[in-house]
Amino acid sequence: MARNKCARVQMEEMYLRLVIDYDNEDFKRDIQIAIGKIEKETKMFPSVTRRAISEHAGNFSVEFDTSDSSRDAGEFCEKLMRELGIDRCSE
């Protein structure tokens, strides 16, 4: 089952991933726009992968190599979630 506006963070040593689910084209577009906006603001360019699970649902995976600084990656993720109106991550 597709979820919408659901985020989860995965962290390991020197690695951070934020996954954001969408179940409609409007929120999919909102995610794309928000990622571009936060990249411009922060001058950070994470690896972004979009995975489709159906014609209108899927997720975006925003990944960072945190060997330099996990703080910057965390700030990027917080800004992105705020921009999308997501106030907490799922478990």
Side-chain angles (χ1 to χ4, degrees):
M1 177 176 189
R3 301 187 305 176
N4 195 50
K5 292 191 178 187
C6 183
R8 56 198 174 281
V9 173
Q10 301 165 335
M11 292 175 22
E12 294 180 23
E13 190 173 325
M14 297 193 208
Y15 176 80
L16 182 140
R17 174 188 294 159
L18 173 67
V19 179
I20 303 172
D21 297 318
Y22 64 89
D23 70 359
N24 63 73
E25 292 295 318
D26 290 336
F27 193 60
K28 175 183 165 184
R29 185 187 66 247
D30 291 347
I31 297 169
Q32 292 170 316
I33 291 168
I35 290 171
K37 177 180 178 181
I38 305 304
E39 285 177 336
K40 229 180 217 184
E41 286 177 12
T42 63
K43 304 291 189 252
M44 294 179 67
F45 302 94
S47 175
V48 178
T49 305
R50 184 182 66 84
R51 292 180 183 89
I53 60 171
S54 73
E55 184 178 352
H56 301 288
N59 63 56
F60 282 83
S61 177
V62 181
E63 302 177 13
F64 292 89
D65 171 0
T66 59
S67 56
D68 294 332
S69 171
S70 62
R71 178 179 292 168
D72 293 337
E75 288 177 13
F76 185 102
C77 292
E78 287 177 9
K79 286 179 184 242
L80 181 56
M81 289 176 57
R82 237 184 338 264
E83 182 72 23
L84 294 169
I86 300 171
D87 60 359
R88 63 185 175 88
C89 292
S90 66
E91 299 175 7

